[in-house]
Amino acid sequence: MTTTLIRDAELIATFDDDARELRDASILVRDDHIVAIGPTPDVTARLVGPADNVIDARGQVILPGLVNTHHHFYQTLTRNLPAGQNAELFDWLVTHYPIWARLDPESMFASSQIAAAELLLSGCTTAADHTYLWPNGARIDDQIAAVSELGLRFHASRGSMSVGESQGGLPPDSVVESEPSILADTQRAIERYHDTAERAMTRIVVAPCSPFSVSRELMIASAELARHYGVHLHTHLAETRDEEAYCRERFGCTPVEYAEQVGWVGSDVWFAHMVHPHADEITRLGGHCCGAAHCPSSNMRLGSGIAPVMAMHQAGMRVGLGVDGSASNDGSHLLAEARQAMLLGRLQGDMGEFTARRMLWFATRGGASTLGRDDIGQLAVGKAADIIGFRLDSLALAGGALHDPLASLVFCQPPQVDLSIVNGVRRVEHGQLLGHDLDRMVARHNASARRLVEG
């Protein structure tokens, strides 16, 4: 057993059931979980002999690792494409599909590592990715291998598209798969990688892309497959008004009504975006304990609208934050997403609801619940040792951390982490990604991006 003592933090924000914020406190970790948290004398009394590792957390605010509930790792390769800079979602997708059709195992691996590195440095310790096209031999295995090297806790979605342009769908036929092959490979991924254990590092998600890119039959079969194996379901839903118009024309109903018809409701389901659900639909989804990944930067970038986050939360839906695709956000900074969620939410008129602490709750406990987990997202005895720390004497927080250290992470320019521990293992220390040559990773990634875009 390995013990790690994080001692003398200026503030520990636990986000536990009592929302404790502890001054001048410490945390004791044994292997992959927390065994003590509180005043330093009480925590050190739990030690038998010296700790194997001691981290001096003076001058830091410590909190649970952030949880990213929606991303597209491969899109780091196509950030800031000129042809997509000023496009709304459907046109943006049509611009990118032909480029993404050239993805291969190397580009999938390189992009996944870049996304994971960005997330770790922003304070994220758990991420759900949604990759829904697998051309030229690329597989979910490439992503899992890439992310496991960096040590990020990973919910890997085996996404899919099966309805191409020739069948009335949005994607070109070149990037869709046959439905039997989708289901077979999804089953293979679940059986090989899905870990049901507490504090699992890898879980598989069943994730058809959207109502405009897969068939009704695949949505139904995917739900049946997921529930047979006890894994979660994820898809895009109600992201734009164009999507609602498509669903009404093709299915005769709204996107949410369509999800209900194909059995996509329940505590094992979460949707990305949910910008345009109707009020009665929010009530019904809340009754089913469905989840929602709120992606404010992407929603603004693509002009999709402002999601009714607080209405969903108050209705009983599980709400977390997502950075979304790195080509519709152009970054993977989850703490920055919490700030965007707060600022965008205030445009809806209720300043008191969109507080810094509530946004951090969405980024921790809310995200954990959205992914169906209660072992992450909080600092408490028995929970996973996913712990992040920010220095309070940084330029970005000068004059802000002095007054309210925790809220300064959201109100001020969101900083990079000084410390990140995932499952008890240090992954970032002194602001540096440990054990990896970041310059080399970026060069490898840029080479893949150049090949992809230039064809």
Side-chain angles (χ1 to χ4, degrees), residues 102-159:
R102 294 193 282 268
L103 286 165
D104 58 17
E106 165 62 17
S107 56
M108 195 70 76
F109 184 96
S111 59
S112 297
Q113 289 215 320
I114 285 293
E118 275 193 289
L119 289 167
L120 283 166
L121 288 166
S122 80
C124 177
T125 56
T126 299
D129 184 64
H130 187 190
T131 295
Y132 47 80
L133 70 171
W134 308 94
N136 308 311
R139 300 201 303 173
I140 198 170
D141 310 61
D142 305 317
Q143 290 195 302
I144 292 171
V147 173
S148 64
E149 284 189 9
L150 273 80
L152 183 71
R153 199 180 299 275
F154 191 30
H155 284 229
S157 297
R158 204 310 181 176

Side-chain angles (χ1 to χ4, degrees), residues 23 121 137 297 316 321 330 450:
R23 296 274 181 175
L121 288 166
S297 292
L321 300 181
D330 307 280
R450 188 172 295 108

Side-chain angles (χ1 to χ4, degrees), residues 114-258:
I114 285 293
E118 275 193 289
L119 289 167
L120 283 166
L121 288 166
S122 80
C124 177
T125 56
T126 299
D129 184 64
H130 187 190
T131 295
Y132 47 80
L133 70 171
W134 308 94
N136 308 311
R139 300 201 303 173
I140 198 170
D141 310 61
D142 305 317
Q143 290 195 302
I144 292 171
V147 173
S148 64
E149 284 189 9
L150 273 80
L152 183 71
R153 199 180 299 275
F154 191 30
H155 284 229
S157 297
R158 204 310 181 176
S160 56
M161 297 193 295
S162 66
V163 177
E165 286 178 300
S166 64
Q167 297 174 285
L170 190 66
D173 291 351
S174 62
V175 296
V176 302
E177 301 173 86
S178 74
E179 295 186 355
S181 66
I182 289 168
L183 293 169
D185 192 58
T186 303
Q187 180 177 343
R188 178 195 68 82
I190 294 169
E191 292 178 348
R192 180 166 181 180
Y193 293 111
H194 186 69
D195 186 351
T196 61
E198 188 176 25
R199 300 188 290 275
M201 288 295 291
T202 304
R203 288 187 177 167
I204 300 298
V205 179
V206 180
C209 180
S210 63
F212 51 81
S213 57
V214 301
S215 71
R216 177 185 294 268
E217 290 74 23
L218 183 61
M219 292 292 286
I220 293 170
S222 294
E224 291 172 348
L225 177 67
R227 286 170 178 145
H228 175 77
Y229 283 96
V231 305
H232 282 236
L233 290 157
H234 182 53
T235 193
H236 299 89
L237 200 73
E239 183 174 357
T240 67
R241 297 197 186 282
D242 286 345
E243 179 187 330
E244 176 154 342
Y246 177 92
C247 286
R248 286 188 181 279
E249 179 180 346
R250 188 171 180 86
F251 307 121
C253 60
T254 70
V256 171
E257 290 169 341
Y258 178 69

